[in-house]
Amino acid sequence: MRAALLCVLVLFCTTVAQARDLEQLAQQPRWQALLHINPGATLRDRQRSYVDDADFFLAADGAANPVSELASTVEALKQEASPARCRFPARYRFVAEALGWREAEPFAHCAEYQEWRRSVHAKRAVLVFPASYLNSPSSMFGHTLLRLDQGDDDGAVWLSWAINFGAVTTEQDNSLFYIYRGLAGGYPGRFNLVPYVQKIQQYSNMESRDIWEYTLKLDQSQIDWMIDHLWELKDINFDYYFFDENCSFRLLELIQVARPQSGLLDELRFAELPVNTVRALDQRGLVTERHYRPSKEVELAALSDRLNDQEQTLARRLAADPAVAESDAFQSRPPRRQAMMARTAYSYVRFVNRKAARTEDIAGRSFALLTLVNRLPSVEDPELPDKAPPESGHGSQMLAASGGQRGSDDFGEVSYRLTYHDLLDNRRGFLDGAQIQGLGITLRSTESGAARLEELDLVSIRSLSPRGRFSKPLSWYVEGGLERAWAGRRRLTRYVQGGAGGSWRSGPWQPYLLASVRAENNSDFGPLITPGGGAEAGMLYHAGRWQWQLSSAGHYFSNDVYRHRSTLAVQYALAREHGLRASLEREGWRGDGETEFKVQWRWYFD
């Protein structure tokens, strides 16, 4: 009897000890990373797995209970021919190392996994950041993906694999629907693995986007952890949210599997922008080197900038008809200048037809121009612009304090902006002429009244890309939210407006002209929505730390109300994260108007 009781007691103590060991093991950072447990990085799903797919878990409560999932995993993996080993190779590695399992060929029965693993191997991991592309809602803040290189030779990246995370959309989803569902978590998100050359073509050639590449400080064992876990994520769904649980956030989770002690997800994130991901990796010493890959548009601009006006005109004619090479105008130029024009013409033909199906005309002109380039003397490559890396720019959030006067009233203001950059912010690390602002709020207090809402910007996007002989992009803008405007008195109005036109550049000067439309909900107007049309003209000036803007915009509404606003604003970059801005604004309406002067200190932070 005593022996039986002793056996039961030993068994009980052993079971309790094993349960305690499993509980401690389940708290290990790598196990938490393998399950994608949220440590508090976002407000949703705290202390739960981000994975939104029952196929990823072996325990019924595995998404919320790492201990239960670990127990089920150990039970499933301990059998030598278990199919769970083929499904979860990274989990097996974790459990085997923790429990001291020693098997020479733990995946001998996993033919599909072994075949995949032989084709997907890498010695180097590189974070790739295609720069912002304002003409696509999914890419307006840029994008991030991981590249797996088979060696250390940069010339062999065409053989590399790319790890990408994105929303699973359909061809029927338009831009507005994508934004709405992306903000609301209406899409599932998945990891996928594709040849890197496809991404180069998509982002650099197809979308004219610069690409920055960051080599990560990961050894072979850490890279193998990441690859094995990627197999576990095949066809597994996550929730996708445009601002936080997006492509950049998921890549941080994947890198956390490789480096679980890195602390990449320790801080709360209201928005995870691609540039913030680069900063997080750089600040934690995970970036060893960076490489800039210019877009085809940048390369074309560098070629054309070496030509004078007459030579640029000849290069355009040559691109349309290679027979221009026999004309007196072309032949009168020195051979070296001919070679520069021919090379520019060839690059232009390739650039403008990058999205078109290859035709006999395009192929014929390309071949004739390439033949001409090879016949003429070789010329050196043009010097590309010295661009600052994106992570060197200011923080994505902004807090500001202002003081000024409107009419005879003094006022003070406090402003906050969640994202990201406007036309007068320090442009280091950002696209020239690009503005992306979201979720900005301004509160104003005057001597004659309490603090009240002055402005609420839901979105404000501007793309002022200069036009030239070889590139003729459309400049455009769209914005909406709440603002105070005159209508009998100065009142809060709801509005959406946008427009399109052109922008040009001459040295540091950049004039622009935009036609615009506005829809306004105003309590002083009769209709629920009052439409209006008008135009905006302006000038940007960039000079080192100084940014200037002069603009004037007016709208004539369908109810015979006319309103216009003219602004002169200047900002000086005190430092990377601090700026001082002053503005003078005249808001006018039929027969009257008010003038406002404001000085503002701006602090940028992540």
Side-chain angles (χ1 to χ4, degrees):
M1 184 68 177
R2 290 182 179 180
L5 288 175
L6 183 60
C7 290
V8 170
L9 182 61
V10 170
L11 180 62
F12 174 77
C13 291
T14 302
T15 302
V16 170
Q18 289 176 344
R20 187 182 300 114
D21 290 343
L22 282 181
E23 187 172 348
Q24 292 176 351
L25 193 58
Q27 299 306 313
Q28 291 292 316
R30 179 159 275 138
W31 181 250
Q32 299 276 315
L34 286 170
L35 294 187
H36 295 262
I37 300 296
N38 175 12
T42 60
L43 296 176
R44 290 179 294 270
D45 298 322
R46 286 196 167 196
Q47 304 306 317
R48 289 181 55 91
S49 174
Y50 285 117
V51 177
D52 187 33
D53 197 320
D55 290 342
F56 186 71
F57 303 101
L58 295 174
D61 60 345
N65 191 334
V67 179
S68 176
E69 184 65 17
L70 179 58
S72 297
T73 299
V74 171
E75 183 65 27
L77 296 178
K78 66 183 181 182
Q79 301 298 326
E80 288 189 6
S82 168
R85 293 188 180 186
C86 307
R87 179 69 185 86
F88 297 107
R91 290 197 197 183
Y92 175 84
R93 180 178 171 184
F94 173 82
V95 170
E97 290 181 2
L99 301 184
W101 294 354
R102 299 286 186 268
E103 294 184 44
E105 297 291 339
F107 306 112
H109 61 293
C110 306
E112 184 180 357
Y113 163 70
Q114 291 195 74
E115 181 181 359
W116 180 86
R117 198 62 178 83
R118 283 192 293 269
S119 65
V120 181
H121 55 89
K123 293 184 178 180
R124 181 173 66 175
V126 178
L127 182 78
V128 180
F129 176 56
S132 303
Y133 182 63
L134 269 62
N135 290 332
S136 171
S138 63
S139 301
M140 65 176 63
F141 292 105
H143 184 58
T144 49
L145 60 145
L146 276 177
R147 191 183 76 214
L148 300 177
D149 295 344
Q150 298 181 18
D152 296 329
D153 182 10
D154 290 334
V157 298
W158 310 103
L159 303 176
S160 300
W161 291 95
I163 302 173
N164 186 65
F165 180 86
V168 182
T169 61
T170 65
E171 294 181 357
Q172 289 73 36
D173 293 344
N174 59 41
S175 295
L176 291 177
F177 191 61
Y178 172 85
I179 292 175
Y180 167 72
R181 290 192 66 182
L183 291 173
Y187 289 113
R190 287 183 185 173
F191 283 93
N192 59 75
L193 191 71
V194 297
Y196 182 62
V197 65
Q198 293 182 10
K199 291 299 178 181
I200 288 287
Q201 182 181 22
Q202 177 183 351
Y203 289 120
S204 185
N205 301 355
M206 297 292 286
E207 295 183 347
S208 304
R209 300 170 69 175
D210 292 338
I211 291 178
W212 291 86
E213 299 170 342
Y214 302 86
T215 303
L216 300 182
K217 189 177 181 180
L218 298 176
D219 61 28
Q220 188 63 60
S221 175
Q222 292 163 343
I223 292 173
D224 289 341
W225 272 109
M226 226 166 29
I227 295 175
D228 283 343
H229 184 56
L230 188 65
W231 169 265
E232 298 178 343
L233 297 176
K234 186 175 64 172
D235 298 327
I236 294 298
N237 290 331
F238 292 75
D239 286 332
Y240 178 90
Y241 289 91
F242 187 74
F243 273 122
D244 52 7
E245 295 177 32
N246 52 26
C247 62
S248 296
F249 184 81
R250 295 292 175 233
L251 290 185
L252 286 181
E253 285 189 276
L254 193 59
I255 297 171
Q256 185 87 352
V257 170
R259 294 281 297 268
Q261 307 293 343
S262 61
L264 289 170
L265 302 178
D266 287 352
E267 299 176 358
L268 177 65
R269 289 162 163 78
F270 290 104
E272 182 60 29
L273 303 183
V275 68
N276 291 344
T277 296
V278 176
R279 287 199 189 106
L281 294 169
D282 192 33
Q283 290 168 1
R284 286 162 176 80
L286 291 176
V287 175
T288 60
E289 58 181 295
R290 62 178 57 83
H291 174 69
Y292 168 57
R293 189 184 298 274
S295 69
K296 296 302 179 185
E297 186 174 16
V298 168
E299 292 177 347
L300 176 60
L303 288 168
S304 64
D305 286 347
R306 300 193 298 184
L307 307 178
N308 60 37
D309 288 346
Q310 292 179 333
E311 290 169 340
Q312 287 185 2
T313 301
L314 269 174
R316 277 295 307 271
R317 290 175 54 200
L318 187 64
D321 182 9
V324 170
E326 307 302 323
S327 67
D328 292 340
F330 187 84
Q331 291 294 326
S332 64
R333 301 284 173 174
R336 185 174 178 277
R337 304 303 294 181
Q338 292 180 16
M340 293 169 67
M341 286 186 287
R343 187 171 171 187
T344 302
Y346 174 73
S347 295
Y348 175 69
V349 170
R350 298 296 300 272
F351 174 71
V352 297
N353 294 295
R354 66 197 186 281
K355 296 182 181 180
R358 192 169 180 83
T359 64
E360 281 191 31
D361 174 61
I362 295 173
R365 282 187 288 145
S366 296
F367 180 76
L369 290 170
L370 186 58
T371 302
L372 179 62
V373 168
N374 292 330
R375 191 174 74 231
L376 291 167
S378 62
V379 293
E380 68 278 4
D381 291 331
E383 185 176 347
L384 294 173
D386 185 19
K387 290 198 172 185
E391 72 274 14
S392 67
H394 62 75
S396 55
Q397 299 183 68
M398 188 273 297
L399 187 64
S402 314
Q405 186 178 64
R406 184 178 183 91
S408 59
D409 273 350
D410 296 330
F411 65 83
E413 280 185 351
V414 175
S415 302
Y416 168 77
R417 182 185 71 198
L418 179 63
T419 58
Y420 166 63
H421 178 75
D422 72 22
L423 295 175
L424 293 180
D425 288 333
N426 188 343
R427 62 193 181 114
R428 177 179 174 82
F430 291 86
L431 290 176
D432 286 344
Q435 170 177 298
I436 308 175
Q437 294 191 103
L439 301 179
I441 184 171
T442 297
L443 301 176
R444 175 177 292 190
S445 177
T446 65
E447 293 179 324
S448 58
R452 62 179 185 175
L453 180 64
E454 179 69 15
E455 196 171 33
L456 176 63
D457 292 325
L458 296 180
V459 63
S460 177
I461 304 173
R462 284 181 177 253
S463 177
L464 302 180
S465 300
R467 299 169 68 87
R469 280 192 176 90
F470 295 91
S471 181
K472 300 184 181 297
L474 181 71
S475 292
W476 59 273
Y477 82 100
V478 61
E479 57 191 33
L482 286 77
E483 67 174 6
R484 294 201 175 270
W486 188 264
R489 61 181 178 85
R490 200 160 181 268
R491 64 178 72 241
L492 202 61
T493 64
R494 280 75 44 197
Y495 76 98
V496 175
Q497 69 181 46
S503 174
W504 302 264
R505 176 170 292 166
S506 178
W509 301 94
Q510 186 177 347
Y512 61 91
L513 179 63
L514 307 169
S516 65
V517 294
R518 178 178 174 108
E520 185 172 305
N521 170 245
N522 190 317
S523 57
D524 194 62
F525 294 167
L528 179 66
I529 303 294
T530 305
E536 177 181 345
M539 175 81 73
L540 297 174
Y541 177 77
H542 310 292
R545 291 175 175 248
W546 292 95
Q547 313 292 327
W548 296 74
Q549 182 180 22
L550 176 64
S551 66
S552 184
H555 289 94
Y556 185 85
F557 292 91
S558 59
N559 59 355
D560 201 34
V561 170
Y562 173 71
R563 186 191 303 136
H564 64 87
R565 181 176 295 168
S566 298
T567 304
L568 172 63
V570 58
Q571 176 159 327
Y572 179 74
L574 297 169
R576 174 177 175 267
E577 303 291 12
H578 298 276
L580 188 64
R581 182 175 298 190
S583 62
L584 180 65
E585 178 181 284
R586 176 68 179 179
E587 183 182 10
W589 49 91
R590 198 183 298 276
D592 204 353
E594 284 185 339
T595 300
E596 175 180 300
F597 173 73
K598 181 167 66 176
V599 176
Q600 184 181 68
W601 166 77
R602 299 165 74 89
W603 172 46
Y604 307 89
F605 61 99
D606 290 325

